[in-house]
Amino acid sequence: MRRKTLRFGKGFRVAFDVRRAQAAEMVIAPGDSEGGPDNRHRGADQWLFVVSGSGMATVEGRRVPLKAGTLLVIEKGERHEVRNTGRTLLKTLNFYYPPAFDADGDPIGPGRD
């Protein structure tokens, strides 16, 4: 068993991972975005849950509105960007299967871009 209290500080931070999955917190300031038109995880699915705030995800060119309570699955290989379109911080909890990043937030292994 593992436990951690999430702080939702600035940017992207890996919370922890286990053998087959990984959790990370992501905080995006108003007007900012993460990812981009060529961002993708070739070997990992990304489950994104919006904790608070609002935004827009663009997945394979399709726009998806985000608000607190939204759960979005970005399947491996899908190009995507997450943008904060609101006035407050956009806070998301992300799960990657399998793990896609090292402790510094750099792509690793099968989740490499």
Side-chain angles (χ1 to χ4, degrees):
M1 179 177 80
R2 295 184 65 187
R3 178 184 179 271
K4 183 171 187 168
T5 300
L6 302 178
R7 296 179 298 152
F8 290 99
K10 293 181 181 178
F12 180 86
R13 179 181 5 254
V14 172
F16 59 79
D17 52 58
V18 292
R19 201 176 103 209
R20 297 180 154 238
Q22 181 175 62
E25 47 188 292
M26 183 168 62
V27 178
I28 305 173
D32 286 349
S33 67
E34 287 288 333
D38 294 323
N39 179 54
R40 62 183 168 163
H41 313 291
R42 290 191 175 132
D45 294 328
Q46 177 181 354
W47 293 66
L48 180 147
F49 178 76
V50 179
V51 175
S52 64
S54 62
M56 184 70 61
T58 303
V59 181
E60 289 294 320
R62 190 167 155 218
R63 294 169 53 116
V64 180
L66 302 173
K67 64 180 183 176
T70 299
L71 177 63
L72 174 67
V73 177
I74 302 166
E75 295 185 58
K76 64 183 173 182
E78 291 184 322
R79 289 178 170 81
H80 60 281
E81 177 180 38
V82 178
R83 178 171 298 280
N84 183 340
T85 58
R87 294 182 180 185
T88 61
L89 295 173
L90 174 60
K91 298 178 181 181
T92 67
L93 177 59
N94 301 270
F95 296 95
Y96 297 91
Y97 179 80
F101 298 94
D102 65 18
D104 294 324
D106 296 321
I108 61 166
R112 185 177 299 276
D113 289 343

